[in-house]
Amino acid sequence: MAGAEGPAGRQSELEPVVSLVDVLEEDEELENEACAVLGGSDSEKCSYSQGSVKRQALYACSTCTPEGEEPAGICLACSYECHGSHKLFELYTKRNFRCDCGNSKFKNLECKLLPDKAKINSGNKYNDNFFGLYCICKRPYPDPEDEIPDEMIQCVVCEDWFHGRHLGAIPPESGDFQEMVCQACMKRCSFLWPYAAQLAVTKVSAEDDGLALNVDGTGDQEVIKSENGDCQASTLKEDVPEPGKDADKEVKAEPPNEPCTSSSTESVLQTAFKNQNLNTGLQSDCKLREFKAKHFIKKDTATYWPLNWRSKLCTCKDCMKMYGDLDILFLTDEYDTVLAYENKGKVDQAADRTDPLMDTLSSMNRVQQVELICEYNDLKTELKDYLKRFADEGTVVKREDIQQFFEEFQSRKRRRVDGMQYYCS
């Protein structure tokens, strides 16, 4: 029938039209994401010689250290060179970690890049992530049995990953937060609640039911509404030492043991006034005391924080001691954040990266550009299918695999060119 279209024609109409600019932008976005995670890590040299690296991409090898064995982490370079054909868990990034590859935790493997290593790295910290389990539900990711679409969010303190629905507080819909502190870490670091009331993306209001601090900062109080609607408070013990509390005790005025006289009353008033000025000076030097002077509540939830919230944390002597006791001094380090690590990777990659494809296109005529685009699309499709096999099997792509792919691709291309038939009219 005239004008009828076959299945191939209808299928071509259904396929979206993608321009070369779209393809390049998509590839650039994927490349930037890869640079963000891997760009700050060395893909050729084992990081062990650097000691405990402030932040780096890490992996755990299920083949060498399966569940039931001691947990271990390996750097990016060792994941390629020493564990290329093994089943790996990608841990994204971890702080203050030294590569374990080939040490006593690996019974039958010696590091190919740096075999001379200590038997154990005592400064490393491990969790269930090193066995491919995440969140309070202790499930793998991706989880083949979980049909609920949910994003995983990393806690900035413990660095475990959590489902958004398991954090006690739904992540802000806008996604406009930079870091998250999980429920367990908020409980352990309860000094963060006064900050959360003023700084968190989702403000924790003092009008809500829960635990609130009274205005003079003497202790936690449980807000209870009486029958007539008035609020009553019962004092609870603060679970984190309050900075400057010892200093307050030293200057506290002792009550007089003798009957009150006009001179003794004046002396007590003068002492109290002096102590008040001293306490005011202490409060002005400690940001935490200022935050705790305002009403806030504690909840059994995670909290979500905006960009640069860490810079608002107090760094007075007492607070720094508290951070050290809680082993969270890294919160005061601006270069500890994942964002700082990602930005460093992007900057380092951008300094060494050129765009040969765009340079080549600009020197071609229209026909050559179309031919190059077709070749590019063929290469992209075949490479994507090739790499998918490795992703499905959970194995790492080695340099030899990429070389083999391009050799086979060139061979198929030559056969197509040699098989073409040319006709003369």
Side-chain angles (χ1 to χ4, degrees):
M1 182 181 294
E5 294 184 357
R10 289 192 296 270
Q11 180 65 28
S12 63
E13 288 184 357
L14 296 175
E15 293 179 355
V17 178
V18 180
S19 67
L20 181 60
V21 174
D22 295 331
V23 172
L24 293 177
E25 288 180 350
E26 179 185 353
D27 286 354
E28 184 177 4
E29 182 179 351
L30 294 174
E31 187 176 355
N32 286 337
E33 290 179 3
C35 290
V37 179
L38 307 179
S41 302
D42 195 323
S43 61
E44 297 180 354
K45 298 179 182 177
C46 177
S47 65
Y48 179 86
S49 59
Q50 302 176 39
S52 294
V53 181
K54 180 169 297 215
R55 185 168 293 281
Q56 63 175 319
L58 281 183
Y59 300 81
C61 182
S62 177
T63 304
C64 295
T65 55
E67 192 169 1
E69 300 286 341
E70 289 188 79
I74 58 176
C75 68
L76 176 63
C78 287
S79 74
Y80 292 152
E81 190 65 29
C82 307
H83 305 264
S85 60
H86 298 179
K87 182 180 179 181
L88 301 180
F89 297 125
E90 184 177 357
L91 305 179
Y92 195 53
T93 70
K94 301 284 186 184
R95 68 168 62 89
N96 300 330
F97 199 93
R98 195 172 195 182
C99 180
D100 285 324
C101 181
N103 67 12
S104 61
K105 296 185 176 185
F106 296 81
K107 298 177 181 178
N108 301 312
L109 182 138
E110 183 179 82
C111 181
K112 299 177 182 178
L113 298 177
L114 200 61
D116 187 16
K117 293 180 179 178
K119 292 184 177 180
I120 195 170
N121 296 313
S122 58
N124 288 353
K125 294 182 179 180
Y126 307 90
N127 58 18
D128 289 328
N129 294 176
F130 290 81
F131 296 116
L133 302 177
Y134 308 89
C135 190
I136 58 174
C137 60
K138 305 302 180 187
R139 296 293 301 170
Y141 183 83
D143 187 350
E145 299 179 7
D146 187 3
E147 298 179 355
I148 302 176
D150 198 356
E151 63 177 337
M152 298 289 284
I153 307 174
Q154 189 179 33
C155 174
V156 69
V157 178
C158 67
E159 296 194 296
D160 195 0
W161 290 83
F162 297 85
H163 295 100
R165 64 184 186 274
H166 292 161
L167 287 169
I170 300 175
E173 292 183 1
S174 62
D176 189 21
F177 65 94
Q178 190 62 43
E179 294 182 313
M180 180 275 291
V181 180
C182 72
Q183 292 165 279
C185 289
M186 284 301 299
K187 186 174 183 179
R188 186 172 74 89
C189 307
S190 60
F191 74 92
L192 286 174
W193 284 110
Y195 291 105
Q198 307 297 323
L199 303 177
V201 173
T202 302
K203 298 293 189 298
V204 185
S205 172
E207 283 74 22
D208 296 337
D209 294 334
L211 296 180
L213 190 72
N214 62 351
V215 292
D216 60 5
T218 56
D220 285 345
Q221 295 185 335
E222 184 178 4
V223 177
I224 304 174
K225 290 187 178 181
S226 59
E227 294 181 358
N228 60 6
D230 296 334
C231 289
Q232 299 174 346
S234 58
T235 303
L236 300 174
K237 184 178 179 181
E238 173 62 55
D239 56 347
V240 174
E242 181 179 350
K245 180 176 281 189
D246 294 338
D248 290 347
K249 290 181 180 178
E250 294 176 1
V251 298
K252 188 174 182 180
E254 293 291 332
N257 294 325
E258 57 185 21
C260 180
T261 63
S262 60
S263 60
S264 63
T265 302
E266 182 179 356
S267 176
V268 171
L269 289 174
Q270 289 177 349
T271 303
F273 182 73
K274 180 179 179 181
N275 291 343
Q276 183 179 6
N277 290 339
L278 180 57
N279 288 338
T280 302
L282 286 172
Q283 291 177 2
S284 63
D285 293 336
C286 179
K287 295 180 183 178
L288 178 57
R289 291 176 67 92
E290 295 177 6
F291 278 100
K292 293 181 77 170
K294 303 173 183 178
H295 283 290
F296 69 91
I297 67 169
K298 295 180 181 179
K299 287 186 172 182
D300 186 22
T301 66
T303 50
Y304 304 91
W305 303 82
L307 182 67
N308 296 328
W309 71 275
R310 297 195 198 190
S311 63
K312 307 295 192 303
L313 295 178
C314 182
T315 55
C316 72
K317 181 179 179 181
D318 291 319
C319 283
M320 292 299 288
K321 182 180 183 303
M322 177 178 65
Y323 302 152
D325 293 340
L326 292 171
D327 196 21
I328 54 170
L329 280 169
F330 53 81
L331 285 181
T332 62
D333 183 1
E334 62 178 320
Y335 296 106
D336 170 78
T337 65
V338 173
L339 180 62
Y341 170 85
E342 291 178 345
N343 288 338
K344 179 180 181 300
K346 292 177 182 178
V347 170
D348 292 347
Q349 290 291 322
D352 301 330
R353 184 177 61 186
T354 58
D355 195 342
L357 180 57
M358 294 303 297
D359 292 341
T360 303
L361 278 174
S362 62
S363 63
M364 291 181 170
N365 59 38
R366 177 65 178 171
V367 175
Q368 292 172 325
Q369 288 179 351
V370 171
E371 291 178 349
L372 178 59
I373 292 172
C374 293
E375 290 290 339
Y376 179 85
N377 286 333
D378 290 342
L379 173 61
K380 179 182 177 183
T381 300
E382 293 190 30
L383 181 59
K384 183 177 179 181
D385 293 339
Y386 181 76
L387 296 177
K388 187 176 183 300
R389 301 204 319 257
F390 292 88
D392 293 339
E393 296 171 359
T395 56
V396 175
V397 183
K398 296 182 292 186
R399 181 179 301 140
E400 295 80 5
D401 298 322
I402 297 299
Q403 290 175 344
Q404 179 183 352
F405 167 80
F406 279 103
E407 288 174 359
E408 293 176 355
F409 180 80
Q410 289 292 341
S411 177
R412 288 192 297 271
K413 180 181 176 182
R414 282 194 295 268
R415 287 197 298 269
R416 287 197 303 267
V417 173
D418 295 340
M420 288 183 178
Q421 296 182 6
Y422 300 90
Y423 300 93
C424 298
S425 58

